Amino acid sequence: MPSRATPCTDGNRLSDRLGDRFWENKSLEELNTEQWEALCDGCGKCCLNKLEHWETGEIFWTNVACELFNDGSCQCSDYSNRFATVPDCVQLSPTVVRQITWLPETCAYARVRDGRDLPDWHYLKTGDRMSVHRAGASAQDKTVSEQNVTVEEYEDFLVDIDDL
C-alpha cells in the first residue's frame, strides 16, 4: 500500500482536508482519490488468498497472504508495482467493490457501499492508524506467505475471517 499507512495523529487536520466524516454523506463514486485511499483501514485482509467452492461459489478464507504482503505492517511491500508481480491482484474501485462479495464485514469500502458507519476503531474516527491493529481487526502477525505454501495446501490454512 502507498504511504497512506503513516500513522495519522492529527485527526482535525485530516478532517479539514478530507471533509468531516465524509464517508457518511458521500457514495463510493463521489469520493476523491485522497478520500478513497484514506477509507482503507489497513487491515490487510483483502491481501489474503481465498478459495471458492466450484459448485456453490462460497468463499473460504485462508491466512495465506500474497507474496508482497508484509505481515508486520499489513502493507504491500511494492504497492505501486504490484500488478507486475501479482497480475491477479484486485484493484479496488467503486465498481469492483459493488461487484465482489468477499470483502470482510469490517471493510470500510463495503461498509460505505452498504450505508453503514465505520467501525469505532477505524483511524478516521480515532486519528491513529494503529488502532486497527490494537483492536485485533487486522491480519497483522497472523499470516503465512504464499511463497511458503503450495496451492494444494491452502485448505490447511482456512480461517474464519471474523476471528482473524
Side-chain angles (χ1 to χ4, degrees):
M1 293 181 188
S3 61
R4 68 178 188 267
T6 304
C8 167
T9 55
D10 188 348
N12 290 333
R13 271 194 0 211
L14 186 63
S15 277
D16 290 345
R17 199 171 69 246
L18 298 179
D20 192 33
R21 299 182 70 88
F22 65 87
W23 61 91
E24 291 182 339
N25 50 33
K26 288 189 174 191
S27 69
L28 294 173
E29 291 79 9
E30 294 171 319
L31 300 178
N32 65 37
T33 302
E34 191 173 16
Q35 290 167 331
W36 178 266
E37 293 293 325
L39 200 53
C40 176
D41 58 39
C43 74
K45 292 179 180 178
C46 60
C47 298
L48 301 179
N49 286 285
K50 295 154 276 300
L51 299 174
E52 182 176 359
H53 190 282
W54 66 277
E55 286 182 329
T56 66
E58 185 177 1
I59 300 296
F60 296 92
W61 288 82
T62 74
N63 66 336
V64 179
C66 168
E67 66 182 278
L68 296 177
F69 184 71
N70 180 310
D71 184 70
S73 68
C74 282
Q75 304 211 359
C76 182
S77 62
D78 194 10
Y79 186 79
S80 59
N81 299 305
R82 68 192 183 280
F83 298 112
T85 306
V86 184
D88 60 345
C89 179
V90 176
Q91 173 74 48
L92 292 183
S93 69
T95 301
V96 170
V97 168
R98 292 193 187 287
Q99 291 173 346
I100 58 178
T101 59
W102 52 258
L103 289 172
E105 176 73 18
T106 56
C107 176
Y109 296 112
R111 294 180 75 85
V112 170
R113 174 196 68 203
D114 298 340
R116 295 180 291 146
D117 196 8
L118 301 181
D120 290 339
W121 48 255
H122 195 286
Y123 89 96
L124 287 172
K125 289 185 163 187
T126 67
D128 179 4
R129 278 279 189 187
M130 299 301 117
S131 57
V132 64
H133 307 305
R134 280 194 297 283
S138 76
Q140 185 180 49
D141 300 327
K142 300 173 187 171
T143 68
V144 296
S145 174
E146 66 185 2
Q147 292 179 312
N148 301 323
V149 178
T150 66
V151 173
E152 295 76 25
E153 295 174 304
Y154 278 20
E155 288 183 18
D156 297 335
F157 294 89
L158 294 176
V159 294
D160 182 338
I161 196 63
D162 296 327
D163 293 338
L164 192 61

